[in-house]
Amino acid sequence: MTTDEQVLELLNKPGKAILSLHRRPDGDSLGSNLALYHVLKAKGHDVTITSLDTVPDFLMFLDNTDTVIMQPPSQIRWHDYETFWALDMGAQNMMGDVITFPKELNIVNIDHHKTNTNWGTINHVDANAVSCASVLYDLFKKHNIEFGEKAAFALLVGLLTDTGFFKYINEGAPLVMAADLMDSYNLNYQSIIFNIMSQLNIEDIVFMGEALSHMKIDVEKKAAILPIPYIS
């Protein structure tokens, strides 16, 4: 059985499913998980989404963010679930805790990072994709998996935020995906930009100001360098 067939078998067989955002969730983590949440719910699954960290304010405009349960992985009753859909996580510790999972738990690892360690029991990783949302979109399209407007909107948010609204990549499959989602579901690209930018809080603005004040320009290499401390 191919990886696609294994994923589809679990997708089409209703059961108890759990999803988890990665640490410090971004638009691709939340968008991908919410898109899959909608698809699983439509197929009759009992679905739970958890997260170690809170959803950022600038992403709260997405539908069903209120379904995300703040819970450390170590406190989850993993034996209560049949399938763990692990999206946008290159390694298990991206959840925040290292867990010993039940042997019978299906772990579907869907990702786009080249550094993915293939830590799932099923690993669907496309290192050429620009986002996890792109991997899900391609999977849905390839196998004619229906998804509605809410899932489409969540996928578009995942794609746009992981490509910096196409600042990092502006050609090929990602643009085709965005155009298809916007055209098929009448989605508003500008509304996503407005919602994200209008939710910046004073801490974000102060942080950006501090970072920009230390920016160094390398004219020869056409690069801007911003020293930002990493906090684990």
Side-chain angles (χ1 to χ4, degrees):
M1 187 179 292
T2 66
T3 299
D4 275 23
E5 289 171 338
Q6 290 176 296
V7 172
L8 291 173
E9 182 179 53
L10 292 174
L11 195 65
N12 292 319
K13 181 182 178 182
K16 293 203 68 175
I18 184 167
L19 293 76
S20 175
L21 308 184
H22 61 55
R23 292 173 298 169
R24 297 183 292 277
D26 56 14
D28 193 25
S29 176
L30 182 63
S32 297
N33 276 282
L34 287 177
L36 184 59
Y37 168 86
H38 292 303
V39 170
L40 289 170
K41 292 286 285 186
K43 288 184 173 293
H45 292 261
D46 180 358
V47 189
T48 299
I49 306 181
T50 68
S51 179
L52 175 66
D53 298 319
T54 57
V55 174
D57 290 341
F58 70 88
L59 292 171
M60 290 300 292
F61 70 94
L62 277 163
D63 284 319
N64 293 102
T65 53
D66 59 337
T67 63
V68 179
I69 300 170
M70 299 300 112
Q71 187 177 30
S74 59
Q75 295 181 12
I76 295 172
R77 294 172 57 89
W78 293 99
H79 287 281
D80 291 345
Y81 300 95
E82 296 164 305
T83 304
F84 170 30
W85 298 85
L87 309 183
D88 200 33
M89 289 192 278
Q92 198 235 68
N93 62 7
M94 284 294 293
M95 297 171 59
D97 292 338
V98 176
I99 301 297
T100 300
F101 295 107
K103 290 182 179 180
E104 65 273 15
L105 181 69
N106 299 302
I107 303 173
V108 185
N109 170 29
I110 298 177
D111 189 29
H112 69 111
H113 294 100
K114 291 181 173 63
T115 55
N116 192 287
T117 59
N118 290 319
W119 58 281
T121 57
I122 300 171
N123 299 288
H124 185 79
V125 179
D126 182 357
N128 293 315
V130 298
S131 65
C132 187
S134 305
V135 179
L136 280 179
Y137 170 84
D138 289 342
L139 184 70
F140 294 163
K141 283 292 184 176
K142 179 180 178 181
H143 298 287
N144 298 311
I145 297 168
E146 295 184 3
F147 56 93
E149 181 179 341
K150 289 183 178 181
F153 189 76
L155 288 174
L156 185 59
V157 169
L159 171 67
L160 293 178
T161 53
D162 240 30
T163 60
F165 293 90
F166 296 121
K167 290 195 295 288
Y168 314 137
I169 184 167
N170 59 8
E171 62 182 4
L175 289 183
V176 173
M177 170 183 167
D180 177 49
L181 291 173
M182 288 188 287
D183 181 62
S184 299
Y185 296 94
N186 195 29
L187 303 180
N188 190 330
Y189 174 91
Q190 295 297 330
S191 72
I192 296 175
I193 297 177
F194 174 79
N195 275 291
I196 289 178
M197 296 308 296
S198 66
Q199 293 299 321
L200 288 176
N201 56 40
I202 188 65
E203 289 83 6
D204 294 328
I205 296 171
V206 169
F207 173 79
M208 286 191 291
E210 180 68 17
L212 290 171
S213 70
H214 292 89
M215 182 172 68
K216 298 183 183 301
I217 304 293
D218 188 326
V219 177
E220 183 179 339
K221 295 181 179 179
K222 297 181 180 180
I225 302 169
L226 285 79
I228 299 174
Y230 175 78
I231 301 174
S232 61

